[in-house]
């Protein structure tokens, strides 16, 4: 940025004040999600906008939006996952996309372990039991245990590795499934998700969304997991065939599930809500003040770095950035 130029950017959804205030101090910010007529706003300002601060499901960031923003240079996405952005199309158009990796890794991994423990030991159900006065009548029934469980991780990226590291402290055997074997990882690799499900009894999914992972945890995988099986998902809801999961839980094909993400958020199937033996969270994996502020800061830093001529800090693979 130069002293004589204030780039114009669009915010597609609300951000924490910590980040939004910094953006307003450095850029001319247009709040697209607040516009009574988004199409009219884009017609008015689209030719001047050079950046997008994106987050949430308020506006899909794809070719249609790119068409309305002919001078767009960069999309800074709030979140490590960016399936709300057509990054491949952005790359084809020479638009750089950034995300917020690393800063939320530990928070999501912590939540994954908490959700696993809550599901295995039925912690929300036990809490409700006590509050309802039922402990006065008789002890809570015995639960399953984390002891003797074998865990398969679906998607061994940054967060998957952090989850695995925490699981090691519990003394649990760990396997993983992904696109390819990772040379620097000692855990057992399964090229087939079904085969891994047959050999473990607990699946933890931290896989990203998108066409490549859509419904990869399906009825066949759930059947292979077996009647003692538990599924935990802190990645993307689309990775699991939700209808197949509901049927597996109802038929006791698997034991239980702990879910922080869903296919059509924030709408959660009534069948899942009605089940007392599952644990459901409203996509709170990174939802601490500390981590969300760090995510917002990285979004801001990416935009500031780009418009200062230094390039993005964390460009996604579909839009690689090579410093000139």
């Amino acid at each position: 940025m130069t002293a004589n130029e204030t780039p114009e950017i669009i915010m597609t959804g609300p951000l924490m004040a910590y980040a939004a205030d910094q953006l307003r101090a450095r850029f001319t910010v247009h709040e697209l999600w607040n516009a009574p007529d988004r199409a009219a706003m884009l017609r008015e300002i689209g030719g001047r906008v050079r950046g997008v601060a994106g987050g949430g499901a308020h506006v899909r960031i794809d070719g249609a939006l790119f068409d309305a923003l002919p001078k767009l240079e960069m999309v800074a996405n709030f979140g490590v996952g960016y399936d709300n952005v057509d990054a491949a199309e952005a790359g084809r158009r020479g638009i750089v996309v950034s995300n917020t990796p690393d800063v939320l890794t530990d928070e999501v991994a912590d939540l994954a372990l908490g959700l696993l423990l809550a599901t295995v030991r039925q912690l929300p159900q036990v809490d409700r039991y006590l509050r309802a006065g039922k402990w006065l009548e008789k002890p809570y029934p015995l639960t399953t245990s984390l002891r003797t469980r074998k865990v398969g991780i679906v998607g061994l990226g940054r967060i998957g590795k952090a989850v695995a590291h925490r699981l090691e402290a519990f003394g649990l055997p760990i396997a993983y499934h992904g696109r390819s074997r990772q040379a620097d990882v000692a855990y057992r690799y399964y090229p087939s998700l079904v085969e891994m499900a047959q050999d473990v009894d607990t699946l933890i999914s931290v896989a990203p969304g998108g066409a490549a992972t859509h419904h990869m945890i399906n009825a066949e995988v759930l059947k292979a997991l077996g009647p003692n099986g538990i599924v935990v998902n802190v990645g993307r809801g689309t990775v699991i065939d939700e209808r197949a999961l509901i049927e597996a839980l109802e038929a006791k094909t698997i034991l239980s599930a702990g879910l922080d993400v869903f296919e059509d958020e924030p709408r959660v199937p009534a069948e899942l809500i009605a089940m007392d033996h599952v644990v459901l969270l409203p996509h709170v994996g990174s939802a601490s003040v500390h981590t969300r502020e760090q995510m917002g800061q990285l979004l801001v830093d990416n935009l500031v770095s780009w418009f200062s001529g230094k390039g993005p800090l964390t460009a996604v693979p579909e839009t690689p950035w090579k410093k000139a």
Side-chain angles (χ1 to χ4, degrees), residues 80 99 101-103 105-106 109 155-164 206 314:
V80 65
N99 63 344
D102 297 320
V103 294
T105 296
D106 286 332
L156 199 71
R158 293 181 179 90
I159 297 172
K161 288 187 172 90
V163 170
V206 288
T314 52

Side-chain angles (χ1 to χ4, degrees), residues 108-118 146 162-164 166-167 170 204:
V108 177
D110 290 347
L111 189 283
L113 266 293
L115 184 53
L116 173 63
L117 286 168
L146 202 60
V163 170
R166 286 156 173 77
L167 289 170
F170 288 88
I204 300 180

Side-chain angles (χ1 to χ4, degrees), residues 146-149 165-174:
L146 202 60
R147 301 303 99 211
T148 75
R149 283 196 168 270
H165 179 69
R166 286 156 173 77
L167 289 170
E168 288 178 2
F170 288 88
L172 302 181
I174 301 163

Side-chain angles (χ1 to χ4, degrees), residues 216-232:
M216 66 188 299
I217 299 178
N218 54 24
E220 183 182 11
V221 172
L222 296 171
K223 182 178 180 181
L225 192 60
N228 193 40
I230 287 177
V231 177
V232 171

Side-chain angles (χ1 to χ4, degrees), residues 11 38 56 61 77 88 95 107 112 127 129 135 169 173 176 180 185 190 202 230 252 259 270 288 296 300 311 317-318:
M11 283 171 53
R38 293 177 182 176
I61 303 173
N77 188 63
I95 300 166
E107 202 76 76
D127 177 84
Y129 187 89
W135 191 21
Y176 73 100
S180 58
V185 171
Y190 285 82
T202 306
I230 287 177
K252 298 184 179 180
L259 308 173
S288 72
V300 171
E318 294 90 338

Side-chain angles (χ1 to χ4, degrees), residues 25-85:
R26 292 168 169 82
F27 305 100
T28 298
V29 177
H30 304 280
E31 297 180 350
L32 185 60
W33 88 94
N34 261 338
D37 187 334
R38 293 177 182 176
M41 171 184 272
L42 290 172
R43 285 194 297 271
E44 178 184 351
I45 67 168
R48 306 193 305 269
V49 170
R50 297 169 57 196
V52 168
H58 296 82
V59 177
R60 171 74 179 162
I61 303 173
D62 57 12
L65 184 60
F66 300 153
D67 287 340
L69 307 175
K71 293 186 178 179
L72 182 62
E73 301 170 23
M74 182 181 182
V75 175
N77 188 63
F78 183 82
V80 65
Y82 50 95
D83 41 312
N84 58 309
V85 182

